[in-house]
């Protein structure tokens, strides 16, 4: 279904997926006066807690998916691993934005990288891996070190292995356990950045300032803005993002994760057809948040200003914080800095490496914002009680 008339406040937005991205999207949508229905595989989900309605059903239950879609004015998704059969079923009865083709390309690394290469966007050389022989050939052609990833369902470094010597090849291949793989030439990067951008059905486009991202054990740890890169490089990152959204004909929001190489080039690593962890600081530091922008984009409203009001840093709060604190994190200690903004996702059980929330600090300089965000997070781990939920169970 295609329609260019705006979907106005008062209408209902349906979200496939129910994690923290869906939660913050739902809050932004409700602020703008929309109703929100969430389709969730689990009850009491982060997004379901703040939605008007939470439908608890499997993504594979296509009758439930169609019924869900019939009741809303537009369907979007909050993560790309929603099966494409699910988004196709929704599209039979409702407007789905971004459309299923965007989901299809971005949920599989080989398709994604092939699309990027085909259209002249900079990506690291890569090869498809279906057999041990493919991997031997790929290593011979692209060299070592290199990274072997599963082609599907990878995020936060899951399903990813670094190969440093030819001796690593057999064991790495075995760990794919028959799944399709992709071998990528190693990018000797100086930093990682991301561009979160939105595009509407009439082709209007807005990108947020480039974010710079520091990872810890492959999971995003701290993001800050503006990124410490030259204006020319920032312009180039934005123009690559714009090209990608245009070529994919995105209606909605899409994030481009990029490497900045030591010789000053940009290489695209990954696309996410949605809001992104690195964009969370927009909630407190930009005129329009990434979540409000997503609502505006899928509903055909004018896009909001992406201007950064001040430098800012965001620090992720993983479940580890609860364990390091020996129980309840010391919320009051972290909030003694009155500029610290706390966001918790309503997840009942803190687990190691699980994203539970984040802190944002706007400050006069990026360096100060990073220092205060890290400091506030450290204060959380002051000794507390026993591990406890972030909201009553
Ligand atoms: P991904 O799951 O593709 O987002 O990768 C997770 C992290 O692994 C990235 O943020 C990088 O730090 C690292 N990484 C992924 N691909 C490469 C590559 N081709 N070369 C170097 N580092 C990489």
């Amino acid at each position: 279904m295609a329609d260019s008339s705006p979907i106005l406040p008062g209408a209902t937005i349906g979200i496939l997926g129910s994690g923290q991205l869906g939660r913050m999207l739902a809050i932004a949508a409700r602020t703008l006066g929309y109703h929100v229905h969430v389709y969730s595989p689990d009850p009491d989900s982060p997004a379901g807690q703040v939605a008007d309605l939470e439908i608890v059903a499997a993504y594979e239950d296509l009758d439930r998916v169609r019924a869900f879609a019939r009741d809303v004015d537009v369907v979007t998704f909050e993560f790309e691993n929603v099966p494409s059969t699910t988004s196709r079923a929704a599209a039979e009865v409702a407007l789905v934005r971004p459309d299923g083709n965007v989901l299809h390309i971005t949920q599989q690394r080989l398709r994604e990288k092939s699309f990027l290469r085909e259209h002249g966007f900079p990506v690291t050389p890569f090869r498809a891996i279906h057999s041990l022989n493919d991997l031997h050939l790929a290593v011979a052609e692209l060299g070592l070190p290199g990274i072997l990833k599963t082609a599907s369902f990878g995020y936060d470094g899951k399903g990813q292995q670094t190969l440093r010597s030819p001796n690593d090849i057999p064991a790495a291949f075995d760990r794919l356990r028959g799944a399709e793989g992709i071998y990528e030439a190693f990018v000797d990067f100086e930093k990682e950045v991301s561009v979160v951008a939105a595009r509407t059905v009439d082709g209007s486009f807005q990108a947020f300032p480039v974010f710079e991202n520091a990872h810890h054990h492959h999971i995003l740890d701290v993001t800050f803005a503006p990124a410490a890169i030259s204006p020319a490089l920032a312009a180039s990152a934005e123009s690559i993002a714009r090209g990608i959204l245009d070529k994919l004909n995105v209606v909605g929001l899409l994030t481009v994760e990029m490497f900045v190489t030591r010789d000053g080039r940009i290489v695209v690593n990954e696309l996410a057809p949605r809001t992104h962890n690195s964009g969370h600081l927009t909630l407190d530091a930009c005129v329009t948040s990434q979540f409000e922008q997503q609502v505006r984009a899928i509903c055909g409203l004018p896009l909001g200003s992406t201007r950064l009001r001040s430098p800012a840093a965001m620090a992720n709060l993983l479940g580890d914080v609860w364990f390091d604190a020996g129980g309840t994190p010391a919320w009051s200690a972290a909030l003694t800095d009155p500029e610290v903004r706390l966001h918790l996702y309503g997840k009942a059980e803190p687990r190691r490496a699980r994203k539970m929330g984040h802190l944002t600090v706007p400050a006069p300089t990026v360096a100060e914002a990073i220092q205060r965000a890290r400091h506030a997070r450290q204060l959380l781990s002051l000794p507390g009680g026993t591990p406890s939920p972030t909201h009553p169970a």
Side-chain angles (χ1 to χ4, degrees), residues 70-127:
R70 231 174 251 122
D71 276 353
V72 303
D73 296 285
V74 59
V75 173
T76 191
F77 39 86
E78 62 114 43
F79 84 138
E80 59 275 27
N81 290 329
V82 169
S84 35
T85 44
T86 307
S87 82
R88 271 203 298 275
E92 287 166 21
V93 293
L95 197 59
V96 177
R97 288 177 167 169
D99 70 25
N101 184 47
V102 176
L103 189 68
H104 180 71
I105 291 174
T106 56
Q107 71 186 176
Q108 211 262 13
R109 292 183 199 274
L110 276 166
R111 280 200 289 270
E112 182 174 282
K113 287 229 158 64
S114 303
F115 162 85
L116 290 166
R117 185 172 61 185
E118 213 169 281
H119 291 96
F121 298 109
V123 285
T124 193
F126 64 92
R127 297 282 185 278

Side-chain angles (χ1 to χ4, degrees), residues 113-175:
K113 287 229 158 64
S114 303
F115 162 85
L116 290 166
R117 185 172 61 185
E118 213 169 281
H119 291 96
F121 298 109
V123 285
T124 193
F126 64 92
R127 297 282 185 278
I129 306 297
H130 298 109
S131 66
L132 182 59
N133 194 42
D134 286 346
L135 187 55
H136 279 290
L137 277 175
V139 169
E141 286 174 18
L142 305 184
L144 290 162
I147 305 211
L148 180 64
K149 304 176 178 176
T150 49
S152 304
F153 300 116
Y155 65 97
D156 288 345
K158 292 194 172 87
Q160 203 179 104
Q161 321 177 52
T162 305
L163 276 68
R164 299 184 192 282
S165 121
N167 299 333
D168 296 338
I169 294 176
F173 180 76
D174 284 348
R175 277 195 289 269

Side-chain angles (χ1 to χ4, degrees), residues 211 223-225 277-286 308 312-314 360:
F211 304 129
T223 293
F224 57 88
N277 194 165
S278 63
H280 291 354
L281 58 74
T282 60
L283 283 165
D284 302 303
C286 289
L308 194 64
M314 184 278 321
T360 307

